[in-house]
């Protein structure tokens, strides 16, 4: 499966921002194509997404240099390599870049090749990508975590929290999870109408937060679950992405929407009160990416009650995951390929997560495309959970629809994660 050619170009993501697309072509003629996603609420420890910073073009956001790096720097060094030796390929790119955070060549350049190479191999073998990456053991259809209301940096910070999501814990299959989510999404729309709240959507397609407080979004969402005739917590539970790194300054948490400033202790008290009041089963980025002591506090208080996911905290980085495990913070890790920049390092991060008894949640970015590699990654590793955004935008539905196809394709051998996915972490 020797690489014959690598092409790259600038295309666009769901926020209409430029991003990198790469084609890897093997000597057999088999081709893999991948598009790299892009975050808005990025963590400071993420691998670097190279943007041209030229204000005269695409407001500084073009990725022409990353595309050039693929074509002129990486491709000549990779042509002739065996694309099926993913680790060797990724290591070669890491060495060619030579920095800690892939800032010379760009994680977007490197990841584009990394993903496209795997896809080319799967295509040559006429195999689904999840089967190529995961082998005979790939079988677990993930429990989805789906955004109904979007806030934070995905909605001009109208409210501070970023994601108000549902987990259809009562679902018996992936397709049933989709149906239940559809019902809650549309019931929530009714709740909006009833409260005379205008409908529009935020970056990932969840409803725009027409609220003056963060808690009101939880009230509306709980109502949405009830309006859809589900029992909150039992049929459909709530998950939050607090994404607090973006409102943590000078050792304080700031709710701009509520004009409120809190110490870590006060903030954790509020998070705990929400878990008492609402059917919350999962919270992401409760504390900021550098507030390790805050994370220890929240983990002691809530770690036996709900899933605690580190996103900005871990950035899919094995060293940061290991530190978290040593300190006993969180019990779950959000997995985003472009936070670390190669498929191999992502697979290593998932393995490390599982080894520690933590739960991996494979996640999209707020800037997405038709690329569905993350779905294959989730299936290949039997990760058990997936977070894609809402069910109301095509770049998200590309992933959900692919999962529906895989559910059909696997038939009897496909097992849906169900609520049991949480059994090792919740008492
Ligand atoms: C998907 C997320 O947002 P972004 O891609 O903007 O980091 C997230 O924070 O989990
Ligand atoms: Mg997050």
């Amino acid at each position: 499966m020797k690489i014959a050619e690598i092409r790259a170009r600038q295309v666009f993501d769901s926020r209409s921002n430029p991003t990198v697309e790469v084609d890897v072509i093997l000597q057999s003629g088999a081709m893999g194509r991948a598009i790299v996603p892009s975050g808005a609420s990025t963590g400071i420890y993420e691998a670097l997404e190279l943007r041209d910073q030229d204000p005269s073009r695409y407001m500084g956001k073009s990725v022409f240099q990353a595309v050039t790096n693929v074509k002129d720097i990486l491709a000549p060094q990779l042509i002739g390599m065996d694309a099926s030796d993913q680790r060797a390929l990724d290591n070669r790119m890491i060495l060619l870049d030579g920095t800690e955070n892939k800032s010379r060549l760009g994680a977007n350049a490197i990841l584009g090749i990394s993903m496209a190479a795997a896809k080319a191999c799967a295509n040559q073998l006429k195999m689904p990508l999840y089967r190529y990456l995961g082998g005979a053991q790939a079988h677990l259809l993930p429990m989805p975590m789906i955004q109904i209301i979007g806030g934070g940096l995905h909605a001009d910070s109208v409210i501070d929290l970023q994601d108000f999501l549902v987990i259809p814990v009562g679902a018996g299959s992936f397709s049933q999870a989709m149906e239940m989510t559809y019902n809650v999404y549309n019931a929530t729309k009714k709740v909006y109408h009833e409260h005379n709240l205008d409908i529009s959507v935020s970056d990932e397609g969840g409803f725009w937060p027409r609220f003056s407080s963060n808690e009101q979004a939880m009230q509306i969402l709980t109502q949405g679950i009830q309006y859809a005739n589900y029992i909150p917590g039992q049929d459909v539970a709530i998950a939050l992405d607090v994404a607090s790194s973006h409102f943590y300054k000078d050792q304080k948490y700031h709710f701009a929407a509520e004009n409120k400033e809190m110490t870590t202790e006060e903030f954790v008290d509020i998070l705990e009160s929400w878990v008492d009041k609402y059917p919350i089963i999962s919270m992401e980025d409760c504390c900021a990416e550098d507030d390790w002591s805050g994370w220890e506090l929240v983990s002691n208080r809530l770690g036996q009650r709900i899933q605690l996911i580190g996103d900005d905290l871990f950035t899919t980085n094995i060293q940061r995951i290991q530190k978290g495990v040593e300190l006993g913070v969180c019990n779950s890790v959000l997995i985003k390929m472009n936070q670390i920049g190669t498929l191999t390092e992502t697979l290593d991060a998932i393995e490390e997560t599982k080894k520690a008894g933590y739960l991996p949640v494979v996640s999209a970015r707020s800037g997405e495309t038709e690329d569905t590699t993350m779905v294959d990654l989730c299936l290949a590793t039997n990760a058990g959970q997936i977070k894609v955004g809402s069910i109301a935008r095509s770049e998200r539905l590309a992933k959900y629809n692919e999962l529906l196809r895989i559910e059909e394709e696997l038939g009897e051998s496909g097992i849906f994660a169900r609520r049991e996915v949480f059994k090792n972490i919740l008492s």
Side-chain angles (χ1 to χ4, degrees):
M1 296 204 216
K2 282 194 175 153
I3 297 175
E5 192 185 345
I6 300 177
R7 301 182 194 136
R9 64 192 67 83
Q10 175 172 295
V11 295
F12 297 91
D13 71 17
S14 54
R15 265 192 287 254
S16 87
N17 286 328
T19 191
V20 177
E21 175 173 88
V22 176
D23 301 340
V24 168
I25 298 126
L26 305 183
Q27 283 180 359
S28 64
M31 185 183 99
R33 171 171 291 165
I35 313 179
V36 180
S38 175
S41 69
T42 47
I44 54 175
Y45 298 104
E46 293 194 21
L48 185 110
E49 177 185 76
L50 194 64
R51 296 209 177 264
D52 298 332
Q53 318 286 350
D54 170 2
S56 71
R57 299 202 69 188
Y58 296 97
M59 307 179 98
K61 290 186 178 165
S62 58
V63 292
F64 296 124
Q65 187 59 49
V67 167
T68 302
N69 292 348
V70 171
K71 292 203 272 204
D72 296 351
I73 300 180
L74 290 159
Q77 300 292 324
L78 303 175
I79 285 167
M81 277 189 88
D82 178 359
S84 72
D85 192 347
Q86 186 80 42
R87 191 169 290 273
L89 185 74
D90 289 344
N91 284 343
R92 172 81 64 95
M93 292 194 281
I94 290 167
L95 278 176
L96 285 167
D97 175 82
T99 66
E100 269 288 287
N101 63 348
K102 302 182 177 67
S103 53
R104 191 171 87 86
L105 301 176
N108 40 357
I110 292 170
L111 181 63
I113 296 178
S114 186
M115 288 158 68
K119 286 177 151 190
C121 295
N123 287 343
Q124 175 160 334
L125 296 168
K126 298 191 170 34
M127 266 184 185
L129 180 58
Y130 68 85
R131 183 65 67 212
Y132 167 70
L133 289 173
Q137 188 55 8
H139 71 280
L140 192 64
L141 287 150
M143 175 64 83
M145 181 186 289
I146 303 175
Q147 189 196 62
I148 306 293
I149 298 167
L153 294 183
H154 299 170
D156 285 351
S157 299
V158 174
I159 52 174
D160 310 282
L161 267 58
Q162 181 178 290
D163 289 314
F164 302 84
L165 316 100
V166 290
I167 303 182
V169 288
S173 66
F174 181 76
S175 41
Q176 197 189 355
M178 287 300 288
E179 182 169 355
M180 292 169 76
T181 307
Y182 174 91
N183 292 336
V184 174
Y185 183 82
N186 284 290
T188 306
K189 196 185 258 184
K190 272 197 204 147
V191 179
Y192 262 63
H193 285 313
E194 219 166 74
H195 287 76
N196 289 321
L197 302 169
D198 287 342
I199 294 277
S200 57
V201 294
S202 47
D203 278 6
E204 295 188 7
F207 296 121
W208 189 269
R210 307 266 173 209
F211 316 122
S212 52
S213 78
N214 294 286
E215 196 170 342
Q216 207 188 341
M218 291 166 226
Q219 290 162 354
I220 298 280
L221 182 52
T222 308
Q223 243 180 319
I225 295 169
Q226 286 163 333
Y227 272 39
N229 288 320
Y230 295 121
I231 303 172
Q234 197 169 309
D235 300 322
V236 178
I238 290 180
L240 302 176
D241 184 357
V242 182
S244 66
S245 299
H246 302 281
F247 54 82
Y248 183 68
K249 258 183 229 92
D250 305 327
Q251 320 249 323
K252 292 266 172 61
Y253 290 89
H254 301 258
F255 280 166
E258 300 174 30
N259 203 8
K260 199 152 134 187
E261 182 184 284
M262 295 151 281
T263 63
T264 296
E265 288 72 19
E266 288 164 343
F267 183 58
V268 173
D269 282 344
I270 288 183
L271 297 180
E272 191 171 21
S273 75
W274 288 339
V275 175
D276 292 338
K277 276 202 250 177
Y278 302 98
I280 295 169
I281 193 181
S282 177
M283 269 196 205
E284 178 180 330
D285 280 350
C286 294
C287 289
E289 55 214 339
D290 280 322
D291 188 8
W292 289 96
S293 60
W295 264 114
E296 285 185 85
L297 180 65
V298 87
S299 301
N300 285 335
R301 297 262 287 271
L302 294 172
Q304 305 292 316
R305 293 180 67 188
I306 61 168
Q307 172 169 253
L308 293 174
I309 312 175
D311 171 15
D312 291 351
L313 180 72
F314 293 136
T315 55
T316 317
N317 179 314
I318 210 158
Q319 277 86 36
R320 292 188 65 84
I321 296 168
Q322 281 163 348
K323 178 170 177 183
V325 171
E326 265 162 41
L327 292 173
V329 305
C330 296
N331 50 29
S332 175
V333 178
L334 205 75
I335 301 289
K336 293 168 166 167
M337 279 183 279
N338 78 328
Q339 280 183 327
I340 192 69
T342 63
L343 192 49
T344 299
E345 290 164 288
T346 309
L347 290 165
D348 286 346
I350 295 175
E351 202 172 293
E352 190 70 21
T353 299
K354 287 186 171 182
K355 211 168 72 189
Y358 281 34
L359 301 182
V361 181
V362 175
S363 174
R365 298 308 305 243
S366 48
E368 271 293 336
T369 68
E370 63 270 33
D371 188 283
T372 57
T373 310
M374 63 159 307
V375 168
D376 294 280
L377 175 73
C378 186
L379 258 289
T381 55
N382 293 320
Q385 288 182 80
I386 198 161
K387 181 187 181 213
V388 183
S390 82
I391 51 163
R393 284 184 60 156
S394 292
E395 76 280 4
R396 318 279 147 196
L397 286 163
K399 280 69 160 172
Y400 294 124
N401 288 341
E402 185 64 10
L403 281 161
L404 290 168
R405 290 180 204 109
I406 294 172
E407 180 181 48
E408 181 186 302
E409 185 173 281
L410 289 177
E412 296 273 291
S413 61
I415 308 290
F416 177 57
R418 294 177 187 255
R419 81 169 75 232
E420 281 72 33
V421 73
F422 300 111
K423 74 175 184 300
N424 288 343
I425 57 161
L426 306 182
S427 52

